[in-house]
Amino acid sequence: MSLEIKYMVTIKINGKDYSVEKGKSLLDVSLALGFDIPHFCFHPALGSVGACRMCAVKKYRDADDQKGRIVMSCMEPVADGLIISTEDEEVKTFRAAVTEGLMTNHPHDCPVCDEGGECHLQDMTVMTGHNYRKFDFKKRTHKNQYLGPFVLHEMNRCIQCYRCVRFYRDYAGGKDLNVFGSHNHVYFGRFEDGTLESEFSGNLVEVCPTGVFTDKTAHKHFTRKWDLSNAPSICTHCSLGCNTIAGERYDSLRRIRNRYNQEVNGYFLCDRGRFGYEFVNNEKRLKQAFIRQKNNVLTPLAEKEIVDKIKKQLYNSNKIVGIGSPRASLEANYSLLSLTGTDNFFHGISEKEFQLTKMALKYQQHSGVRIPTMKQMENADVTFILGEDLVNTAPRMALAIRQSARNILNEDAGIRRIPEWEDQAVRDLGQLSSSHIYIASPVKDYLDDIAKKSFKGSYSDITALAAVIAKLIDKEAPEPPKHTKAIKELAREMADALKHAKNPLIVSGISSGDTALLQATFNISTALLKSKVNPMLGIALHESNSMGLALLPGESLQKASYTAKNENIDTLIILENDLYRRDDSILIDELIQKSNNVIVIDTLENKTTQKADLLLPASAFSESTGTLVSNEGRAQRFYKAVFNKNEAVRDSWRWINELKKIHNNKFKGWDNIDSLFYSLTDDIPVFSNLKGKFPDAGFRVLDRKIPRQSIRFSGRTSMYANLSVSEKKLPQDPDSPFAYSMEGFQENPPSSLVPFYWSPGWNSVQALYKYVDKANGPLKGGNPGVLFLDSLSSEQAKYFNITSNEPGITGKDELVIFPVYQIFGSEELSSEASGVSERIKKPFLLLNSDDITKIKASAGDIADLEINNTIISIEIVMDNNLKPGVAGVSVQLPGMPYLALPARGKVHIN
Amino acid sequence: MEKPLTEYITPGSPPLSLNEYRKAGGYKGVDKALKTMAPAEVTEMIKTSNLMGRGGAGFLTGLKWSFVPMDEKDKPKYLICNADEMEPGTFKDRYLLEGNPHQLIAGMIVAAYAIQAETAYIFLRWAYKKAEKTIQKAISEAYKAGYLGKNILNTGFNLDIHLHTSAGRYICGEESALTNSLEGKRAIPRAKPPFPAISGLFGRPTVVNNVETLSWIAHITNKGTEWFKNLSISGTGGTKLYGVSGRVKNPGLWELPLGTTIREILDVHAGGMAEGYKFRGLLPGGASTDFLIEDHLDVQMDFKTVAAVGSRMGTGTMIILDDKTCPVAFVRNLENFFALESCGWCTPCREGLPWIEKILGAIEEGRGKMEYLDTLKFQTKYLAPGHTFCAHAPGAAEPLQSGLKYFYDDFVRHINEHKCPWR
Amino acid sequence: MLTEEELNEIREEVKMYPIPSAACISALKIVQEHRKWVSDDAIKDIAEELGMSNEEVDGVATFYSRIYRKPVGDNVILICDGISCMIMGYESIYEQVKEKLGIGFGETTADNRFTLLPISCLGDCDHAPSMMVNNDHYNELTKEKVMDILSKYK
Ligand SMILES: Cc1cc2nc3c(=O)[nH]c(=O)nc-3n(C[C@H](O)[C@H](O)[C@H](O)COP(=O)(O)O)c2cc1C
Ligand code: SF4
Ligand code: FES
C-alpha cells in the first residue's frame, strides 16, 4: 500500500475556521463539511470541469477584502488561509440566476417526469431560491431518440451539464453517445436512433441530474422515489457483489439502483446488474408447488398438501443427496448441507469449474498475495489482464480497471500542478501518453482502446507469454514452453513494467476453463512476490456466491453422478440450480434418473425444474434475506425488499428447514435467518469470523427499527384507500431489523443497513453526501461487507508446474474452440429479465476470415459445430482479432447446450 | 514615421517572395536569433521589449514565453499562430497574412526557437481564402530555402509549420478553444490554469500568439528593443494596426504608433464621418469592447489608456456608430452574433446571451417592456469576467452594458413608442 | 465511400498531426469541398478512416458552422450581416437577392443553383457591405453589382 500523506490546511468558511485536506477542491471539502453548495457538472467520481457555474462562492483576498470575487468552488484548490463565503448575497443571486437560466428552456413537466421527486434540478431550484419565472419567450425543443430497452430519452429536459457524456465517454469508454451542435442548441444523444452500446449505459439514469435519461424498465411499473419501500441488496448477476438498492411497491420489485460502497462498486453498476432484476417478474416465475403425477405430468399442489407430500417423499429416504448452487445464498446452501451431511452435498458446478475455483481460492488464501477491492484496482499503476473478458464476466471490474489508466498521468499532472480532480485538464494532458494496462486475450477486449499493448492469441499463447514473464521476473520460475520471438519481446517489456511497478495488478478469471492459463497467471504473481514486489491479484469467478460455495465442503456435479452410479439415491434435492447449464446433459440426465425422488427448489421454471418430482417455489433475492460472498471474499447481506404475499413461495432455506424437520425429528428448526447463520458460523470454521458481523433481526437503534421508506409529510401512504381508509397491519419481517413503513429511526442507520439516500433538501441521489465523511470516501461507519478471508494467508507463494493445457491442434480440420461470454445472455437469471432479453444475441461462432474461407463459408452462414460428439448449428461471425485455427463460441446463451471448453472441434457447412 | 509591419505591403500586388523579403532584410532577425542567441536570450529580449500581445488582451509576449518549461523532457512543444480573426469589425491580421506572409513566418521561426518548439501551426480563419494561398506558398518557399524543416541554417534546430484552416466559429479564436479545435475536437475552451504554456496542444507546452504579435518578433531580434520601444507614442512599444469601419469617409487600416489618439485615427486617417452622418459612438477594438463616445475622442489608443476610460483597446479596429443607425439594432446585431457563437459549455453564456438577444429583438421590434431593461442590466453583471468559463460572454456583455449606459434613452424610446424610431 | 482523391487528401492532412483524429475537421472540409455538404454516410466513412465513432465525428461536424450537414445548392451565397455590413446597409442587398432568387436565408432555389445563408463578418469590414459566393469575396456591394455577380454563377 502506498503511504498517503495528507497535509491539512485551515480555511475560513462563513467566518469559521475549518481544517481540511490541502489540494482538494473547495466544493469537495465543503460538501464533506456539510455545506449545501449547489452544483451540477461536478460529480465526485467524474471530478470538476467548471461548466455549470452553479457552485459559485465568494473568495476574499484577505481579511481586509470586503468585496471579494465570485469563484467556482469546484475549480478552486484548497489552500491555507483561503477565505470564502457561501452565503454572500451576490453569490446567492448569481446561483439563482444560473438556475433561472437553466430553467428558461426546461419544461415544466415534473408531474409526468420519472425523475420527479428525486431530481437534482428540483433540489437545486429549491436550494438556490429561483422561484419566479421572468423569461417569457419560446423554449427550444428537441426530438428524442430510441436508445434501446434500458434507457428512455427526453432531451427537452436537458440542462447541458455534460455529465452524461463525461460519464459515458470519458469514464466508461463508450463511443456512441456524444454532444452535438453548439450554443444553446446542444444535443446529447446518439448519431442515430439505436441501442446504447455501453455496458454501463444505465448509470446515465443516476448521473443525469434531470429526467433526460431515465430507467425504461422501471417506467413500465413506475413508482416515485418517496413511494418506494427499499432494502439494501446485493447484485446477484456476477461474482463481484455490487451493492444495490431494491425498491418495492404494491408487493412487486420496481427498480434497482446503485448503493454506494466505496470499496466495491462506488457509484456505478453495469447494465446487467441494474436491469437484470426483472426476472423476478417473469412469467416463468414459480408461484406454487408442483408434484409429478402418475401420468408423469407436473401438477399444482395445494398449500396444505405440501407437507404431506414431503413426508411421503422423504419417508423412505436413507440416501439424500443435495446439490447446492453458486447463485444461492450461503444460508440456503448451508441449510442443504446440514440436511444431507458433508458426504452427500455437491456444489452443483462442473468438475472443471470446481477445480478452478478451488485452485483460485487456495492460491489467494495461501500465497500472501493482495486481493484488491475494486477501488484498489483503480489505483493500480501496471495492470495485466490474462484471458478473461472482464466486461462480459465481471463488468464492474473492467470499469474499475479503466480508471486506473490515468494513474500514470497523475504524477505528470502533479508536476504541472494540475490537481487530479480537474478532470478535463488531466485528460487533455494525457492525450499523447498511453496507459500501463496490458491485455492478453483471444478476442477484442473492452479495454483495448486504452491498453498499452493488447496481445491477441490462443490460451496457450497467453499461457506461454505469462510463463515467460514469470521467468523473466524470477529465474526460479518454471521453464516456459516454446514461444515466438514476438512473445519474448512483449514479455520483456511487461516483466520490466511489472517489476518496477509500485502497485501492479494481475487479473484473470475462471471463464476460460483453462487450468494452465490460471496457473501461469498465479506464477506471475508468485514471481513478483518472490522479487519483493507486492502485487494485487483479481480473479473473476462465475456467480454471486461462487466464492461462498467454494468455502463450503462438497464436491462437483461429476462426483455426484459417480455417487449415483454406485448407490441408489432416494432423494435428490436440487437447490436453485439449472443443472443443464452446468454440465453435460447426459451426466445430468443420468444423475436424475438414478434418483428415486427429485425435489427441486427454484424461482424460475427451467430445464431442471421440469425434471422434478416435487417442485418447490423459492423466493427471489428481492423477497428474501441472505449472505453472499463475492470474488474478493467479501461477505455481504442482501435484505428483503418485497413482502411476498403468496405464502406458497418461500425462502429456499425455509423449504429445506421443513424438509430437515421432517427428516430429522430431533431438529427443532431455524426460527429465522439469524439462527441459521449462527449454526453456519458454529459449524464451518472459515465462517467463524463472520459471527456477529451482521446486525440481527433484533437490532434496533434507540429501540427503533429501520424504516424501508423515506419520511414524507403525508404520513401514511393510504395505498389501499380505494379499498379501505384504515391502514392495514404492516407485515413483519422476522429476518431483519427493517420496518415496512416510514416509521422508525430517522437518522442514518449503520452503513450496511442504508436502504435509501435521503436528506432534507436532497431528494436526489446526491443525498449520498450526507452518508459519507468525504466525497469518494467510505460510508459513515465503514463500508458494508466483511472481508473475512485474508487472515488465512500465511504460507510462502509456490510455483505451479503448468500441467495441462488447452488442446493443441492435432487433426488437420480441427480448431481450438474457446468460450465467449456475453454480458447479456451468459448469466442465467438476468437473461430472463425483459429488458436484458432484448439485448441477447443469437448464439454465434467467431472465426477468423482465413478459417471461414477454408470451410468455404461466409460470415452470416449457419455452420455445424462439432465438439465432443455434440453438433450445434450456429451462425458464423467473422472476427479477425482471432488467430487462424482458433474459434470462439458463445456460451450459456439461451438455446446453447452446455459445452466443456476449451476443446477441439470441427466446423463445416452443409 | 516608420511602419515596419506594413512597409513591404502593397495592396493589390502579390506579397514579396522569400528572396525579395530576404533581400529587404526581412530574415535577418531569424539569422541573428538562431545563430547568435540562445533560446532563453530571445525570450529575455522579447520580455525586455515589452511587446504586448496584439490578439486583444495585451498580455506580455515575453512573459508568456517564459512560462514554457525548457527541459529536454518537456518536448514536444508547440507554437500556434492565432490567425482566426473572427471578431466582427476586425480585419487587421488578414492584411498582414495576405500582404507579407514571410514576415509572419520569420517571426514564427524565432518564436518557436525561443521556446524550442519543433512544430508550429497557423490556425487560419476559414474565410481567408487568399491568405490561405499566400501562406501555403510562403511556407513551401521557406522549406526550400532551408528556413523550415530539419537543421535550419545548420543550427540543429528543426521546425515544421503547418497551415490549418478552420471551419468557422468565433470561439476558435480563444486560445484554448483553438487548441481543442486543432486537435480535431469541438472548440470548447479549457480551464485555466493550466495555461497553454504548461499544458496546451495535445497536452504539451504550447504558446499561442496573434499574427500581428508574431509578425513583430524577427524585427525585434533584428533591430533591438530600444528601436521597438521608440516606435510608440505612449511608450508601450511598437506600432499598431488601427482600423475603422462604418460610416466614415475613408474606412480602412493604418499602421500608426501605438498610442495615437482616437481622434487622429478617425479624423485624419479615416477622413471623418461620411457626408450626412453624425458620430454617436464607437467600439474601439472590435465587437467585444465597450462603447466610447464623443468625450473619449482624445484618448490614446493603447491598452492602458483605453482601459482607463472603461473600455478595451482589443484589436484596435474600431466600429463607428452613426446617427442613422439604431443603437438598439446595433447592439442586437452584436448580441445575436455572440449568442450564436457561444460554445454551449457554461450556463451563463449559453442561456444568458440568447435571453439578451430575445429581449433586444423584442425591444427593437416594438414588443419591449420596461422590466426587460432590468433583466438586461442584470445579465451584463451576471456575465462578468470570472463568472463564466471563458472571456466570450464577458466580452459580449461589454457593448451591451455600455450601450445601456450611453444610449439608455434610445432603449426607452423603443419601448414607449412600441417601434424602432429608426424604421 | 470516400473517393480515392478524398482519401489521399485526408491522409495528407493526417500527417500534420500526432493522432489521426486531429485531422477530423480537415477531413470534413475536404469531403465538403468535393461534395458541397457532408452526408450521414460521409460521416460514417470519415469516422472509419480516422478510427473514430460516428458520434465523435458528428459531434465535431455539428459544432462548426461552416460544415454543412444538409444539402446545399451548386453555389452557396453568404451575405454578411455582421455589424459593419449592417451599418453599411446589407439589408438592401439581401432584399435584392431575395427578390431575384425567390429565397430567403437558409433556403435553396428550386433549380438547386443557389443556397442563401447569412454570415456574421467576413473580415471585409472596411469594404462593407460584402458577401461570399463559394470561395470568392465581393465587397462594397450595391444592388446592381450583386446582380452582375450572381449571373456569373451557373
Ligand atoms: C472569445 C474570444 C475570441 C478571441 N479571438 C481571437 C482571435 O480571433 N485572434 C486572436 O489573436 N486572439 C483572439 N482571442 C485572444 C486569444 O485567446 C489569445 O489571447 C491571443 O491569441 C493571444 O495572442 P497574443 O498574446 O499574441 O495577443 C480571443 C479571445 C476570446 C476570449
Ligand atoms: S463563456 Fe462559457 S459557453 Fe460561452 S463561449 Fe465561453 S465557455 Fe463557452
Ligand atoms: S459544479 Fe462547479 S461549475 Fe459545475
Side-chain angles (χ1 to χ4, degrees), chain B residues 33-97:
Chain B
L34 267 58
K35 287 183 181 160
T36 69
M37 296 170 80
E41 286 175 299
V42 178
T43 301
E44 192 52 38
M45 183 170 191
I46 300 301
K47 228 170 162 176
T48 320
S49 79
N50 201 34
L51 171 63
M52 292 170 96
R54 304 301 202 233
F59 194 81
L60 290 165
T61 305
L63 186 63
K64 188 189 275 187
W65 296 2
S66 70
F67 298 144
V68 175
M70 294 302 287
D71 258 11
E72 199 52 33
K73 70 167 173 34
D74 293 308
K75 286 181 175 177
K77 293 184 269 189
Y78 297 102
L79 171 73
I80 299 173
C81 168
N82 189 344
D84 193 45
E85 190 162 70
M86 280 194 53
E87 177 125 337
T90 306
F91 46 95
K92 65 177 185 75
D93 294 339
R94 175 179 187 180
Y95 193 79
L96 297 173
L97 292 161

Side-chain angles (χ1 to χ4, degrees), chain B residues 78 86-91 94 121 125-129 162-169 171-172 181-188 202 244-247 251-253 319-320 322 325-326 329-330 333-334 337 343 423, chain C residues 13 15-19 21-26 29 33 52 56 58-60 62-68 78 81-84 86-91 119-127 132 134-137 139:
Chain B
Y78 297 102
M86 280 194 53
E87 177 125 337
T90 306
F91 46 95
R94 175 179 187 180
Y121 296 92
R125 179 183 191 167
W126 65 276
Y128 289 173
K129 303 290 177 187
H162 302 295
L163 175 64
H164 171 100
T165 60
S166 84
R169 287 293 169 224
I171 195 65
C172 288
S181 191
L182 257 186
E183 290 172 3
K185 300 177 185 153
R186 299 162 60 81
I188 309 294
F202 301 109
V244 177
S245 65
R247 296 287 182 183
L253 192 74
I319 308 162
I320 312 298
D322 59 77
T325 300
C326 167
F330 188 110
N333 178 289
L334 296 179
F337 170 81
C343 77
R423 286 196 189 240
Chain C
E13 285 289 323
K15 288 185 195 155
M16 277 170 46
Y17 305 97
I19 43 178
S21 62
C24 168
I25 296 167
S26 307
K29 288 186 72 174
E33 195 61 36
M52 300 166 76
E56 284 161 344
D58 204 24
V60 172
T62 54
F63 182 87
Y64 292 97
S65 47
R66 300 274 63 80
I67 300 296
Y68 305 138
L78 300 171
D81 65 358
I83 186 64
S84 306
M86 184 197 103
I87 298 169
M88 302 303 283
Y90 90 88
E91 262 171 275
I119 187 80
S120 198
C121 197
L122 290 167
D124 292 318
C125 318
D126 50 344
H127 302 289
M132 258 177 108
N134 303 336
N135 286 341
D136 312 322
H137 285 253
N139 296 330

Side-chain angles (χ1 to χ4, degrees), chain A residues 757-859:
Chain A
Y757 300 117
W758 184 87
S759 172
W762 297 91
N763 296 304
S764 61
V765 62
Q766 272 72 18
L768 173 59
Y769 296 130
K770 307 292 179 187
Y771 293 76
V772 290
D773 282 323
K774 58 175 189 177
N776 300 320
L779 285 164
K780 287 181 182 166
N783 287 311
V786 186
L787 288 168
F788 62 105
L789 289 182
D790 43 6
S791 59
L792 294 180
S793 56
S794 59
E795 285 171 43
Q796 272 297 300
K798 290 202 183 73
Y799 285 113
F800 289 89
N801 278 320
I802 297 171
T803 47
S804 62
N805 209 334
E806 141 203 303
I809 301 176
T810 49
K812 83 171 180 3
D813 300 333
E814 284 182 329
L815 297 158
V816 175
I817 318 278
F818 68 90
V820 177
Y821 286 78
Q822 295 284 287
I823 179 170
F824 304 121
S826 296
E827 192 272 329
E828 182 184 352
L829 296 177
S830 59
S831 303
E832 301 294 346
S834 52
V836 171
S837 65
E838 278 184 52
R839 296 288 309 271
I840 298 177
K841 289 189 194 146
K842 277 193 303 198
F844 56 83
L845 176 70
L846 299 179
L847 282 178
N848 174 294
S849 54
D850 289 358
D851 290 325
I852 298 182
T853 321
K854 227 188 250 169
I855 57 164
K856 300 197 174 57
S858 37

Side-chain angles (χ1 to χ4, degrees), chain B residues 171 188-189 341-347 349-350 388-394:
Chain B
I171 195 65
I188 309 294
E341 298 302 323
S342 164
C343 77
W345 176 248
C346 75
T347 309
C349 171
R350 186 189 57 241
T388 55
F389 192 78
C390 82
H392 175 82

Side-chain angles (χ1 to χ4, degrees), chain A residues 511-536:
Chain A
S511 78
S512 65
D514 195 290
T515 316
L517 179 81
L518 212 57
Q519 290 170 331
T521 303
F522 296 150
N523 282 357
I524 297 185
S525 156
T526 300
L528 286 170
L529 286 164
K530 289 196 187 291
S531 357
K532 303 278 175 276
V533 182
N534 190 4
M536 302 187 278

Side-chain angles (χ1 to χ4, degrees), chain B residues 53-55 64 82 85-86 170 173-175 208-210 213 391:
Chain B
R54 304 301 202 233
K64 188 189 275 187
N82 189 344
E85 190 162 70
M86 280 194 53
Y170 168 63
E174 196 286 332
E175 58 186 5
V208 185
N209 272 132
N210 174 256
T213 315

Side-chain angles (χ1 to χ4, degrees), chain B residues 115 298 337 361:
Chain B
I115 61 163
D298 292 314
F337 170 81

